[in-house]
Amino acid sequence: MAREYKLRRTGSVSASGIDYATALNEEQFCAVTSPPGKALVIAGAGSGKTRTLTYRVSWLLDQGQSARDILLLTFTNKAAREMVERVRSLVPGDVSDLWAGTFHSICNRILRRHADEIGFTKSFSILDRDDQKSLMNAVVAASDIDTKQRRFPKPDVLISMFSLMANTGIRLEKLLHEKYPYFIEWQDELEKVRAAYAKKKRDTNSLDFDDMLSLTVELFRGHPDVLAIYRKRFRHILVDEYQDTNSVQSELIDLLAGADNSLMAVGDDSQSIYSWRGAEVDHILNFQKRYADSTVFTIETNYRSVPEILDLSNAAISANKMRFEKNLRSSRAEVGAKPALVALEDPSMQAGFVAQRMLELRDEGIELSEMAVLYRAHFQSLEIQMELTRRGIPFSITSGLRFFEQAHIKDVAAFLRFVTNRKDEVSFKRMVQLLPGCGPGTSEKLWLKWLRDPVSGNPEPPAKWSEILIGYPIPKKAAKHWQQFCYTLDELSPGGVFASPSEMIFSVLEGVYDDYLKESFENYEARRADIEQLIQYGGSFEDVLEFLSQLSLMSTTDGEPTGDKAELDDDKVTLSSIHQAKGLEWKAVFLIWLVDGQFPNGRILEADDEAAFEEERRLFYVALTRAKDELYLTYPMLNPKSYTGDILCRPSRFLDDFPKEMVETWNVGNEWSSDDDPF
């Protein structure tokens, strides 16, 4: 009979010397020092999630576990680096054997060792987005698909489609009906391209980022001996942001954890907001069903926000049915100032209020870098960007480019610029290259032909663009689209007279650009919303030249520092979508456009999908919990629309989810009212 013998660390004091009971609050301590097994830690916003994970690693090492026994999975390289650095600062020993990184980086390490088991070599290439586009272009070109009469999705859209299929397991037919109904007619060809793309990757010994996850799962499923190696190696698996896992990541965790290994998943179901890229909130909600005999720990002490903001946040999220019960408690004292609920007359007045209040807060001692404007969709920041620019308040945008610098806005503007300035070569070529089969070579030839036409030198636009341009030598693939292009130009200056800016933009969008948006961009609906917002903005101008001048002035960064000076001058307001703001915090937060149809999103309201609506409410909760000291909830009562007329806004139904006594209502008026006219 064999004798069991185990090596122990000597001494009664932990190797790190940490007094865990003192270093952690009671909730964190319970999770960090819990015995081996399957555990879920529900860590509320601002509750010290990273601290809990890093101290858990330290605790395991102090209990005699080797660093090589531990696997730490994160969603960003930055998070992995931060956690490893914190562990190093806590533990005196060598932790280089600890595997910590993103799901993709960990899978890459595994596949480099075992690629030959699944038909690749260990020197496989990893395709970035540009590589994928090049490969996809080659596949489409070789697939003999007739795209002359109908627009076929461009590589960016194809990559996004196939990525969502890989990460969720959704079938192409279902995906098309739910997300890309305008491409249903291409279903057979899309299946053909998907298969050819997968074959091309194998033929070229190349993997894209989705393959790194799915092929690791395939490796483990098909080769139990390989899986056994990693199960034996990683006795303790820790997962950050578990609420953001998709089906492939979840299965990967299942396979590695098996029945015997310890698993600690840390996350917050109330911050699950990424279903559009494959994340499934059910993974965290059903953790106890997935892992029998698992334990759930809840960390509810918040170190970020004042009690007034937390009380509002708790009340707001409590309306969701699918959630873990928790009630965040602030470690801070009450300040006596409730979050502000501010109804404004229209979007312009909303922007004016935000800008003015920011300047007041700066005078009160809050730096601009500690202020943020959050919104549901990027286009909702247009008036804010304009107002901050007018008032000289510096800002940075994390949700994308400045509104007028975006490619689709510049595409549409090119039509207006050319018809008003027939010598504008850049705008002409930009328009032409939007057409299928028209690259730089074609646009150069057409431009030279246009210059030879006497009309090009006429200071007035022609009465009929189509009569001049329709016969130009166009590639066969673009012939039908060129005709529509010419008729659209006719609408911009009918009879030689410029239409209004709003009418011109509408004609471009409906005449030629909507189809281009669908085939070119994965976020078609968001980009179309941007252009609709541009139509609304154009409604305040009668003169197209004045409109274009303002567009140019708003898209330039004239007067802003560049280079080293810009890096030093970082006192800027942050403008961000709520999705981009997750994980960040500011002293003062302005949450704008809180009206039905804008936030919650109109498509979600129309769909009447409870799960989607609850995710929208979680997004609202994430926005609220970004604020540390001051929170302003604003909405316009009127939304001026160029084509449909003014629309009365219904305040967001999320504002009904908490008692009104939790907020302070601000009544905002103009300094000079009709009752107080000095003249």
Side-chain angles (χ1 to χ4, degrees):
M1 180 176 177
R3 176 184 292 186
E4 296 293 332
Y5 185 85
K6 294 184 179 179
L7 293 176
R8 297 187 302 274
R9 288 196 177 188
T10 59
S12 57
V13 180
S14 68
S16 67
I18 297 171
D19 182 346
Y20 289 91
T22 301
L24 304 167
N25 67 36
E26 186 178 347
E27 297 161 338
Q28 294 168 340
F29 179 78
C30 288
V32 165
T33 62
S34 61
K38 305 295 193 292
L40 174 64
V41 181
I42 300 296
S47 65
K49 168 179 63 67
T50 302
R51 186 177 185 82
T52 302
L53 273 171
T54 52
Y55 272 80
R56 175 64 173 181
V57 175
S58 176
W59 169 265
L60 290 171
L61 296 173
D62 279 341
Q63 301 310 300
Q65 299 298 322
S66 168
R68 64 178 287 110
D69 295 338
I70 301 170
L71 171 64
L72 175 57
L73 290 166
T74 67
F75 275 85
T76 67
N77 289 313
K78 180 183 177 185
R81 285 194 302 269
E82 279 183 11
M83 290 186 196
V84 171
E85 286 305 314
R86 289 202 198 184
V87 170
R88 286 196 178 116
S89 69
L90 293 171
V91 179
D94 179 17
V95 295
S96 58
D97 282 341
L98 168 70
W99 277 34
T102 64
F103 283 86
H104 292 95
S105 66
I106 296 300
C107 288
N108 176 55
R109 292 180 72 172
I110 294 171
L111 290 175
R112 289 292 178 194
R113 300 178 177 194
H114 307 282
D116 53 332
E117 305 277 3
I118 51 171
F120 290 83
T121 74
K122 296 173 184 180
S123 61
F124 61 79
S125 298
I126 298 174
L127 304 171
D128 63 18
R129 189 74 171 196
D130 284 341
D131 298 331
Q132 284 182 276
K133 288 165 68 174
S134 296
L135 207 62
M136 194 69 77
N137 271 323
V139 166
V140 173
S143 296
D144 194 28
I145 296 172
D146 181 11
T147 61
K148 292 186 176 65
Q149 300 303 315
R150 297 177 291 161
R151 285 185 179 270
F152 191 70
K154 290 195 173 176
D156 273 327
V157 180
L158 293 170
I159 292 165
S160 294
M161 276 185 188
F162 301 156
S163 177
L164 199 57
M165 292 174 68
N167 287 315
T168 63
I170 189 173
R171 292 179 297 105
L172 178 61
E173 182 180 9
K174 189 170 189 288
L175 176 67
L176 292 176
H177 277 89
E178 291 181 0
K179 194 170 172 63
Y180 301 96
Y182 36 86
F183 289 137
I184 288 174
E185 60 184 347
W186 286 114
Q187 182 177 333
D188 292 343
E189 291 85 350
L190 289 169
E191 286 282 15
K192 181 179 178 182
V193 167
R194 189 166 73 94
Y197 176 58
K199 183 177 185 301
K200 190 78 167 176
K201 286 185 290 184
R202 285 197 173 271
D203 291 345
T204 57
N205 196 38
S206 302
L207 277 65
D208 60 30
F209 275 78
D210 297 318
D211 294 328
M212 294 168 75
L213 300 181
S214 59
L215 290 178
T216 304
V217 169
E218 180 183 314
L219 170 70
F220 287 161
R221 279 194 203 136
H223 298 82
D225 54 328
V226 176
L227 176 58
I229 293 171
Y230 291 95
R231 278 187 176 171
K232 186 175 181 180
R233 166 91 191 246
F234 300 127
R235 294 299 189 186
H236 297 274
I237 301 165
L238 293 88
V239 184
D240 186 25
E241 304 285 10
Y242 186 72
Q243 77 281 349
D244 293 335
T245 53
N246 61 38
S247 58
V248 182
Q249 290 161 335
S250 181
E251 184 173 1
L252 180 67
I253 295 166
D254 287 350
L255 287 166
L256 285 170
D260 300 323
N261 286 343
S262 287
L263 167 65
M264 178 171 282
V266 181
D268 182 6
D269 57 298
S270 295
Q271 297 188 69
S272 179
I273 57 174
Y274 295 118
S275 67
W276 48 275
R277 65 186 189 197
E280 296 179 39
V281 70
D282 285 349
H283 293 154
I284 192 168
L285 292 175
N286 295 327
F287 187 89
Q288 289 175 290
K289 294 179 182 177
R290 196 179 197 101
Y291 301 107
D293 302 321
S294 59
T295 306
V296 175
F297 299 93
T298 305
I299 303 177
E300 298 176 311
T301 303
N302 175 285
Y303 294 93
R304 175 187 299 155
S305 305
V306 295
E308 292 86 346
I309 292 174
L310 277 190
D311 290 344
L312 178 65
S313 304
N314 287 329
I317 197 62
S318 66
N320 269 10
K321 297 175 183 176
M322 298 180 290
R323 59 185 288 268
F324 281 101
E325 284 295 329
K326 65 177 176 298
N327 190 59
L328 294 183
R329 300 181 305 276
S330 178
S331 65
R332 302 175 58 186
E334 291 188 355
V335 295
K338 297 178 181 179
L341 180 61
V342 192
L344 289 311
E345 187 175 312
D346 56 27
S348 178
M349 192 174 183
Q350 177 177 242
F353 167 77
V354 170
Q356 180 174 307
R357 187 65 188 131
M358 282 178 170
L359 294 175
E360 292 169 351
L361 290 172
R362 185 179 64 178
D363 291 342
E364 294 170 14
I366 299 180
E367 296 179 345
L368 293 177
S369 60
E370 285 286 357
M371 303 180 205
V373 182
L374 304 183
Y375 34 81
R376 175 64 177 82
H378 186 53
F379 73 85
Q380 295 166 349
S381 68
L382 172 58
E383 291 87 4
I384 301 290
Q385 291 186 47
M386 292 167 56
E387 188 65 26
L388 296 181
T389 301
R390 276 197 289 264
R391 297 197 186 213
I393 301 174
F395 62 92
S396 61
I397 303 176
T398 65
S399 56
L401 295 170
R402 290 174 182 246
F403 186 86
F404 297 111
E405 294 172 353
Q406 299 175 104
H408 51 296
I409 300 297
K410 295 178 77 170
D411 286 345
V412 171
F415 286 79
L416 280 64
R417 293 185 193 281
F418 175 67
V419 296
T420 55
N421 174 17
R422 272 74 63 198
K423 298 288 187 182
D424 189 337
E425 179 179 352
V426 172
S427 293
F428 179 88
K429 290 180 176 178
R430 188 177 188 115
M431 291 187 306
V432 170
Q433 289 180 38
L434 297 175
L435 305 177
C438 293
T442 299
S443 64
E444 174 68 16
K445 290 176 185 176
L446 294 175
W447 174 248
L448 293 175
K449 180 168 178 58
W450 166 249
L451 286 181
R452 292 192 295 270
D453 195 304
V455 179
S456 66
N458 194 325
E460 299 299 324
K464 275 273 190 180
W465 289 93
S466 54
E467 292 179 356
I468 302 164
L469 300 175
I470 208 89
Y472 273 35
I474 291 294
K476 188 175 180 181
K477 185 176 183 179
K480 177 183 174 183
H481 304 283
W482 177 256
Q483 286 185 356
Q484 185 58 48
F485 168 82
C486 295
Y487 297 143
T488 297
L489 292 183
D490 285 345
E491 292 183 14
L492 304 190
S493 55
V497 178
F498 295 130
S500 72
S502 287
E503 291 170 334
M504 294 171 88
I505 299 166
F506 182 80
S507 292
V508 173
L509 176 61
E510 297 300 329
V512 293
Y513 200 66
D514 190 64
D515 284 341
Y516 177 81
L517 276 178
K518 287 174 180 173
E519 71 154 3
S520 303
F521 300 110
E522 55 183 301
N523 56 344
Y524 157 71
E525 291 175 337
R527 291 181 186 254
R528 182 179 169 99
D530 283 345
I531 296 170
E532 290 172 348
Q533 189 74 6
L534 186 66
I535 293 173
Q536 181 175 327
Y537 174 60
S540 57
F541 296 87
E542 291 296 328
D543 184 353
V544 66
L545 296 177
E546 183 186 351
F547 171 75
L548 290 172
S549 296
Q550 283 300 311
L551 235 60
S552 298
L553 293 171
M554 292 297 295
S555 63
T556 185
T557 54
D558 247 5
E560 292 189 4
T562 57
D564 294 338
K565 187 178 177 184
E567 292 174 12
L568 292 173
D569 182 19
D570 59 356
D571 190 25
K572 296 180 179 180
V573 170
T574 299
L575 272 57
S576 177
S577 70
I578 304 167
H579 283 102
Q580 291 286 339
K582 184 174 175 288
L584 303 176
E585 59 184 41
W586 296 270
K587 287 183 178 178
V589 168
F590 296 83
L591 181 53
I592 63 173
W593 275 105
L594 285 170
V595 299
D596 274 1
Q598 300 284 348
F599 192 21
N601 180 276
R603 293 188 307 278
I604 290 172
L605 292 179
E606 291 169 8
D608 196 25
D609 181 337
E610 185 176 5
F613 184 73
E614 289 211 350
E615 177 166 340
E616 196 78 350
R617 185 180 279 116
R618 292 195 294 269
L619 193 61
F620 180 58
Y621 172 81
V622 167
L624 299 179
T625 53
R626 299 311 93 199
K628 295 196 281 189
D629 301 336
E630 305 220 12
L631 175 63
Y632 298 86
L633 309 174
T634 74
Y635 64 91
M637 295 180 284
L638 200 66
N639 188 8
K641 291 285 188 180
S642 300
Y643 279 84
T644 57
D646 293 350
I647 297 174
L648 286 173
C649 297
R650 181 193 185 281
S652 171
R653 59 195 64 191
F654 293 149
L655 300 177
D656 298 329
D657 290 337
F658 51 81
K660 289 298 176 280
E661 55 266 24
M662 285 188 166
V663 295
E664 180 181 41
T665 301
W666 288 32
N667 296 315
V668 179
N670 291 311
E671 187 174 21
W672 301 111
S673 65
S674 57
D675 297 329
D676 189 24
D677 194 333
F679 301 107

